[in-house]
Every structure is written in C-alpha cells, then in structure tokens.
C-alpha cells in the first residue's frame, strides 16, 4: 500500500532558520544561609538549549541528528513537532508552522520517542491500532487495509492479540513503529529506536526503517547513540553540541574525511618488519599486526607499497576509524561552556 498524501509543492520536509530556544531555571546555592538568600532573591540561570541553528531536511531523506546528552537534540525535536514554542527563528515542517498549526501537522508526522509508549500497556496492539485509527479519523476499511499492510511488513501477526505488557522490548518497538505509521505520515521522528535491543533485533528494526523509507517514501529524522544505527540507516548526519550544529555532511564524509587516519590490518607469513614516520604500530603479535596511519604525514599508497616490499603479506585491509571515535572527536571540539548561558539576579 502506498501513502495517499496530497501532493505538496513544498520542496523540503523540514526547513529551519536561526532557531533559538532558552530556558530559565532557579539556581540552588549550597549552604543554609545561601539557600535562604536564594529563596528571597533567587538567582536565575538562563540556558540556551538551541542556539540559532539552521538546516534543511529533504523529502525522503534519512537523517541522523546526534549529539551528547544535553546537546539540544530533544529540544529541537520538540520545536519541530510543535511541543515547544521557539523564542526566535523560523520553523517549517511540511510547509506548516509546528506551534501554530500543530493539529494539522499531527496528521502528517509519526513519532516514536524513547521509551514513551503510544500503545496501551494492558491492551493488545490490535486494540491500540483501532483506537489510534479513530484518533486520526481513519475510516474503518482504510484502517483495516493499513493494519494488514503494516502487520505483514513488520511481521507482527502473532503479536497483535498479546497484551503489550507481555511483549519483549524488541517486539514492542516493532509494534510502536507500526503504530506511528498507521496514519501514513510523511515524516517519522525516531528517538533511540534500538536502545536496549540485542544485535539481531537491532538489525531487524533497521531493516524495517529502511523499508518504510524506500517503499513509502517516508522521511526519517533519527536520534541515536548507536553508531550502527547511523552507519547502517542514515545517508546524512548532523552533530549538535551545546545547541549548535558542529558537523553536517554525509555519513561517508564523516567516516573518510573528518579524521585523517586509516587502520591497516595485516596477516603475514612472518612477524612484521616495518617502520615509517606517520605510522604507529598499534599491535603486532605473531603473524598479525594492526597499524594506524596519519594521512596528514604520509599517504596510504606509500605505506602499502613499503609493507609489500618488506613483508610477505597474506591479507590486508584498510578501514576508517570506528564511527564512535569520529563522533567523540566532533563532540570534543565544542566542550567549552555555552556562550548563551548566563546567571542573573532574580529581581531584574
């Protein structure tokens, strides 16, 4: 079944310009006297959660929106879905203003946020699907066809009559994503969809996300701390830290150009004999070795040619550093305090 959305002239699924959101909280001071003073004259702390970000998400794109805890990811998503009102800037999702046209937008987006379930805990998924169909004003015949389609795609036929409380985490997540697609949304917001799942179930969820993107053309906006989700699902990644975007590019660009290092793994007929400036021997044991190459100091071609000349190599592989290391490196670029964070007198 293909989605039946009305044709839209809006080119981008999401368009954000100079988006900013601040929160003001009372700051507690240590000590009894300080606690009394803060009660009478509270010190107000202003935290800039989203600091003037601008970006576009194209229709049909699978985007990873990642960053450390407290980076501004959840606040940004809440602004995009109309849950929060921006202090300044402009947001358009499918051509709509989320906080002014939230009801209209709700019919066109799907959400799976962390461990917050949209399925009724004591009811089987089939009952939740029926209730959600009513909420989204889907007529009975169309809802029946859509549920049958999602049941087949997600392989949840044997789960529909089991109370949600009795499902495993992986089974529930499959039902959660199916529920979020019931009204045929154009954008799917996923917050940590594979958290807590084992390797096999994670791969199953990733396959399902790729399937709905490919077959239904659903735009996917994904947050995750799992490098496997980013590498295996997404085409583009934005890294946010301290409310600012610190990296925006393709996953391949992130892997192959951000850090100028390569990992060379070797199997040899004899112990390694090798020394070259710009190359560190990370491990050399028996007939196996691993080298780290600094591409700012030496080319991979010269390293390989020297290795072949000086050693009898059985097998060789060259890879970029693990994506986790690359992401950690990006985070490390912006560890300074947020510029927009201030402490002010509560009487002002």
């Amino acid at each position: 079944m293909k989605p039946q959305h009305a044709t839209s002239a809006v080119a981008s699924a999401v368009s954000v310009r100079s988006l900013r959101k601040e929160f003001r909280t009372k700051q507690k001071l240590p000590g009894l006297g300080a606690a009394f003073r803060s009660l009478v004259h509270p010190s107000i702390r202003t935290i800039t959660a989203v600091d003037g970000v601008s970006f576009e998400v194209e229709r049909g794109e699978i985007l990873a929106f990642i960053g450390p805890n407290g980076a501004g990811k959840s606040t940004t998503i809440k602004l995009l879905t109309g849950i929060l009102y921006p202090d300044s800037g402009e947001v358009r999702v499918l051509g709509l203003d989320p906080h002014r046209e939230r009801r209209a937008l709700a019919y066109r987006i799907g959400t799976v946020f962390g461990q917050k379930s949209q399925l009724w805990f004591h009811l089987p998924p089939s009952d939740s699907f029926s209730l959600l169909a009513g909420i989204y004003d889907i007529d009975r015949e169309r809802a029946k066809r859509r549920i049958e389609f999602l049941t087949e795609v997600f392989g949840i036929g044997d789960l529909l009559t089991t109370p949600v409380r009795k499902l495993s985490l992986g089974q529930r997540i499959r039902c959660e994503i199916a529920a979020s697609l019931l009204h045929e949304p154009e954008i799917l917001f996923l917050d940590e969809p594979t958290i807590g799942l084992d390797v096999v179930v994670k791969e199953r969820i990733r396959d399902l996300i790729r399937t709905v993107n490919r077959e239904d053309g659903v735009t996917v906006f994904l947050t995750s701390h799992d490098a496997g989700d980013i590498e295996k699902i997404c085409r583009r990644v934005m890294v946010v830290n301290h409310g600012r975007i610190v990296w925006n590019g393709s996953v391949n660009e992130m892997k192959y150009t951000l850090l100028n290092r390569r990992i060379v793994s070797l199997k040899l007929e004899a112990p390694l004999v090798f020394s070259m400036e710009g190359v560190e021997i990370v491990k050399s044991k028996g007939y196996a070795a691993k080298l780290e190459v600094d591409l700012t100091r030496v080319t991979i071609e010269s390293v390989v040619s020297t290795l072949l000349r000086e050693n009898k190599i059985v097998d060789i592989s060259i890879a970029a550093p693990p994506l986790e290391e690359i992401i950690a490196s990006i985070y490390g670029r912006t560890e300074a305090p947020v510029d927009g964070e201030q402490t002010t007198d509560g009487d002002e």
Side-chain angles (χ1 to χ4, degrees):
M1 177 187 291
K2 297 292 184 183
Q4 304 297 318
H5 303 301
T7 303
S8 173
V10 180
S12 299
V14 177
S15 179
V16 174
R17 293 285 178 271
S18 304
L19 186 62
R20 188 176 183 87
K21 181 65 181 178
E22 295 180 345
F23 296 99
R24 299 185 64 180
T25 61
K26 291 182 179 179
Q27 190 169 17
K28 294 182 179 180
L29 301 175
L32 185 60
F36 179 75
R37 288 196 304 275
S38 65
L39 182 64
V40 178
H41 298 288
S43 180
I44 304 299
R45 184 186 185 202
T46 301
I47 300 173
T48 303
V50 178
D51 192 4
V53 301
S54 299
F55 61 88
E56 301 271 339
V57 181
E58 298 303 317
R59 287 177 176 270
E61 187 174 8
I62 305 181
L63 173 76
F65 190 71
I66 65 174
N69 291 331
K73 303 187 302 297
S74 296
T75 301
T76 301
I77 291 178
K78 288 175 181 177
L79 291 166
L80 295 180
T81 54
I83 297 171
L84 291 178
Y85 190 97
D87 293 322
S88 62
E90 182 180 280
V91 186
R92 289 291 182 272
V93 179
L94 301 171
L96 301 174
D97 185 326
H99 58 274
R100 290 193 174 94
E101 301 171 280
R102 186 179 177 187
R103 182 179 176 85
L105 182 63
Y107 282 88
R108 300 177 65 186
I109 64 173
T111 58
V112 178
F113 287 149
Q115 299 302 304
K116 295 180 180 179
S117 178
Q118 62 188 317
L119 303 174
W120 279 260
F121 188 64
H122 296 291
L123 297 179
S126 58
D127 287 356
S128 292
F129 291 170
S130 297
L131 287 167
L132 289 168
I135 290 171
Y136 284 107
D137 299 326
I138 305 173
D139 66 69
R140 184 173 298 179
E141 189 57 36
R142 180 184 161 206
K144 180 176 180 293
R145 292 196 305 269
R146 185 64 176 169
I147 292 170
E148 289 174 352
F149 169 74
L150 293 170
T151 298
E152 180 181 353
V153 171
F154 283 75
I156 55 175
D158 56 340
L159 308 178
L160 290 180
T161 58
T162 303
V164 170
R165 68 177 186 276
K166 294 185 177 181
L167 299 178
S168 69
L169 179 58
Q171 291 171 334
R172 186 176 68 77
I173 293 296
R174 280 155 60 196
C175 293
E176 289 280 359
I177 298 176
S180 71
L181 294 167
L182 185 64
H183 58 296
E184 302 178 77
E186 297 167 68
I187 302 180
L188 183 60
F189 291 93
L190 296 173
D191 182 19
E192 300 284 355
T194 65
I195 191 169
L197 303 179
D198 63 45
V199 175
V200 174
V201 178
K202 279 184 181 182
E203 196 55 45
R204 173 64 172 154
I205 297 298
R206 292 165 184 161
D207 284 341
L208 293 172
I209 294 169
R210 287 190 292 261
T211 298
V212 298
N213 169 258
R214 181 178 64 253
E215 296 188 2
D216 279 6
V218 176
T219 304
V220 179
F221 194 100
L222 168 77
T223 73
S224 179
H225 284 92
D226 191 317
D229 289 346
I230 300 161
E231 195 168 7
K232 295 181 180 181
I233 300 174
C234 302
R235 299 162 193 162
R236 181 162 68 100
V237 58
M238 284 194 295
V239 182
V240 61
N241 204 3
H242 298 307
R244 304 186 190 118
I245 295 172
V246 297
W247 170 264
N248 184 1
S250 73
V251 173
N252 282 337
E253 286 174 330
M254 173 179 280
K255 288 172 62 178
Y256 294 109
T257 67
L258 189 62
L259 292 185
N260 292 314
R261 294 185 296 129
R262 293 294 180 270
I263 306 299
V264 179
S265 299
L266 301 166
K267 290 183 180 179
L268 309 117
E269 291 186 0
L272 179 69
V273 177
F274 183 79
S275 179
M276 179 180 282
E277 186 178 348
V279 181
E280 178 186 354
I281 299 175
V282 178
K283 182 175 68 175
S284 180
K285 185 176 181 181
Y287 302 112
K290 182 177 289 185
L291 314 178
E292 185 175 293
V293 181
D294 183 350
L295 298 182
T296 64
R297 301 170 64 191
V298 64
T299 66
I300 197 69
E301 291 84 358
S302 63
V303 172
V304 172
S305 62
T306 304
L307 282 167
L308 291 170
R309 187 171 59 250
E310 298 179 355
N311 298 269
K312 292 184 177 181
I313 297 174
V314 177
D315 191 22
I316 182 171
S317 66
I318 302 169
L323 195 57
E324 292 93 335
E325 290 184 20
I326 299 176
I327 295 170
S329 172
I330 297 171
Y331 292 168
R333 292 179 172 191
T334 53
E335 287 303 321
V338 182
D339 292 345
E341 187 172 310
Q342 306 170 4
T343 301
T344 58
D345 192 312
D347 292 338
E348 291 183 359

